[in-house]
Amino acid sequence: MENDGLAVLNALDTARTQWYHAKAIIIAGMGFFTDAYDLFCISAVSNLLGRLYYYDPSTKGLGKLPHAVNNAVVGVALVGTLAGQLVFGWLGDKLGRKKVYGFTLILMSICTICSGLSFGSGAKNVMTTLCFFRFWLGFGIGGDYPLSATIMAEYANKKTRGAFIAAVFAMQGVGIIFAALVSMILAKIFLIYYPAPVFKDDPTRSTQPEADSLWRIVLMVGALPAILTYYWRTKMPETGRYTALIQGNSKQAALDMGRVLDIEIHEEQDKLRQYRAANDYPLLSYEFYQRHGLHLIGCMSTWFLLDIAFYSQNLTQKDIFPSMGLTSQAIDLNAINEVYETSKAMLIVALLGTFPGYWFTVYFIEKIGRFKIQVVGFFWMSIFMLIIGIKYDYLKEDNKALFALLYGLTFFFANFGPNSTTFVLPAELFPTRLRSTCHALSAASGKAGAIIGAFVVQTYALDGDVKKIKRAMMVLAFTNMLGVCFTFFVTETKGRSLEEISGEDGKTSELSSTRVLSSCMFK
């Protein structure tokens, strides 16, 4: 392929790793940093919202968000993300990656700030406006998934492409840590200036009025990285693959990529026509099904199954932390102190489980390969969740250290496993003209799983019912084992050019979708 392919594509595939690649990782990665912060910071303050807006003195109980409201506040951004993935993924293929890449950040910044400024003082008004703006925040976040993955895949060289895409996604781990850290620091500052008795001693005074400012500031801080990154996104050139293979302008592709790679690339308009003629088929066609049908099924199903478990774990951690001994019981804390302890527990789990898993994938993905990392990750997630489900009573009461270890390991193998690889594979398996759309379909399937986690699985943990939590953990273990099975619908992609993987080079028989199962069985 390197000898008879387009010069601009060969140049991209064989380029030495340089500052241009690092800058692309930072620019794309900061979007995911913002995404993770905005999606997960709500877990740190959702209990606080319950204390502030749903405390009823007549019940003598803690103020808690009603189940429907809790699910909406936590899950509405996921619904917006699903919609945004589909819309921006399609636009990325139709209008170009660069044209819509900056708009996602603008939308995220505006809606993040508006989320913190949710209007009114009554519960209904605040929750309604908060959900409205978090939906559109999620819509902007959704655009980042297919666009960032596609841009990084099309910029990278073939030897380090998987590591570069995984590094962009690994910024999600940094964002989760930052969300916990910001919440913890701000809560500590508020505690110093606004001390209060714990709930069991004085239920009314245990919720500081100033706490209403705390959750708003926590949410609005998420706009800063998006604002700071916007300028650099607008300066990124369109990817050479899109300019050449979709727009048909090999001259512009050669100029753009030659400039960023600091080399001279010759245009090849005649050879480009051959490439485009051989790959002019739509998504809804028999040709696509024959080449990539099982690939798409594999990417969509594995991401769907993964996110049921991953988001269930992430979004319900605030309810499981007391059982693990990482936080005190809510009645032994005041409102701001509960935010502080929840954030600290989130930080511990992220530092010891979530964050290392992401970067293990970055380091090992080109050594081990995507397929093996995904299968092993799904398998161990299933094992650890099954143990937690079966022995939940014992772990909760008699061995909280082991509980915390098992819980952390599920996050480690999610991220050193399918949470990373399901993001990487759709950016590599599909042809340039459909890459962003197919990644969007895969990611949207994942968010459909996340919505199930937020609106269904999460309800099993809200009341602290041991039987319900055990049942939920066993179901999640089963979904992860299904993930192992559906991984056999995708194929290994390491070390190959995007055109070789997708069949755009004309060699479709080697990686045809109908050969996926057998090719993976004998890796």
Side-chain angles (χ1 to χ4, degrees), residues 377-388:
F378 264 130
F379 176 80
W380 283 112
M381 284 177 70
S382 183
I383 296 299
F384 294 131
M385 287 184 177
L386 185 62
I387 294 171
I388 292 172

Side-chain angles (χ1 to χ4, degrees), residues 312-457:
S312 296
Q313 289 283 81
N314 259 310
L315 297 175
T316 59
Q317 11 180 260
K318 68 182 187 302
D319 303 300
I320 295 177
F321 284 155
S323 302
M324 296 167 58
L326 291 176
T327 62
S328 305
Q329 292 298 320
I331 60 170
D332 296 322
L333 301 167
N334 63 49
I336 295 178
N337 203 224
E338 186 176 21
V339 174
Y340 176 79
E341 289 210 0
T342 301
S343 303
K344 185 172 70 173
M346 285 174 60
L347 182 64
I348 291 169
V349 171
L351 284 173
L352 298 182
T354 307
F355 183 77
Y358 282 111
W359 293 99
F360 265 63
T361 299
V362 173
Y363 183 77
F364 286 107
I365 194 166
E366 297 298 354
K367 296 177 173 65
I368 300 175
R370 293 77 159 141
F371 180 83
K372 289 179 181 177
I373 288 176
Q374 185 159 307
V375 167
V376 171
F378 264 130
F379 176 80
W380 283 112
M381 284 177 70
S382 183
I383 296 299
F384 294 131
M385 287 184 177
L386 185 62
I387 294 171
I388 292 172
I390 294 172
K391 305 295 291 183
Y392 185 81
D393 311 70
Y394 163 73
L395 294 168
K396 178 184 177 183
E397 301 298 334
D398 302 319
N399 203 331
K400 292 181 178 180
L402 180 58
F403 191 2
L405 175 63
L406 292 170
Y407 191 73
L409 284 171
T410 61
F411 279 108
F412 175 80
F413 280 101
N415 295 308
F416 182 38
N419 194 40
S420 297
T421 53
T422 52
F423 179 77
V424 174
L425 282 165
E428 298 180 312
L429 284 168
F430 303 103
T432 306
R433 66 195 322 273
L434 298 169
R435 184 168 292 127
S436 181
T437 300
C438 290
H439 195 284
L441 289 169
S442 304
S445 295
K447 282 300 168 284
I451 290 167
I452 291 174
F455 287 95
V456 180
V457 180

Side-chain angles (χ1 to χ4, degrees), residues 262-288:
D262 197 24
I263 59 174
E264 183 178 352
I265 304 174
H266 300 289
E267 62 169 301
E268 300 169 294
Q269 200 67 33
D270 291 338
K271 192 177 290 186
L272 176 60
R273 292 191 188 96
Q274 298 172 18
Y275 264 76
R276 299 185 75 205
N279 294 280
D280 189 21
Y281 54 90
L283 177 67
L284 299 177
S285 66
Y286 179 73
E287 181 74 10
F288 176 86

Side-chain angles (χ1 to χ4, degrees), residues 47 49-51 54-55 61-67 319 330 462-463:
N47 283 349
L49 294 173
R51 291 203 191 213
Y54 289 91
Y55 171 63
L62 278 164
K64 287 189 174 183
L65 294 175
H67 285 192
D319 303 300
L462 288 175
D463 295 326

Side-chain angles (χ1 to χ4, degrees), residues 173-186:
V174 183
I176 294 171
I177 288 174
F178 194 69
L181 201 57
V182 167
S183 303
M184 190 173 74
I185 292 171
L186 288 173

Side-chain angles (χ1 to χ4, degrees), residues 197-274:
V198 300
F199 182 85
K200 67 180 180 182
D201 293 338
D202 191 337
T204 303
R205 291 178 57 240
S206 69
T207 301
Q208 303 92 322
E210 295 82 5
D212 190 58
S213 299
L214 173 60
W215 72 266
R216 296 174 185 273
I217 295 170
V218 168
L219 264 58
M220 288 191 288
V221 167
L224 290 176
I227 293 170
L228 294 173
T229 311
Y230 175 73
Y231 171 79
W232 297 107
R233 280 203 179 182
T234 62
K235 294 298 180 182
M236 293 178 76
E238 182 57 85
T239 70
R241 284 182 161 90
Y242 187 87
T243 304
L245 298 178
I246 308 305
Q247 295 179 332
N249 191 341
S250 65
K251 181 178 181 180
Q252 188 62 49
L255 287 172
D256 288 343
M257 295 302 100
R259 185 165 59 250
V260 296
L261 295 174
D262 197 24
I263 59 174
E264 183 178 352
I265 304 174
H266 300 289
E267 62 169 301
E268 300 169 294
Q269 200 67 33
D270 291 338
K271 192 177 290 186
L272 176 60
R273 292 191 188 96
Q274 298 172 18

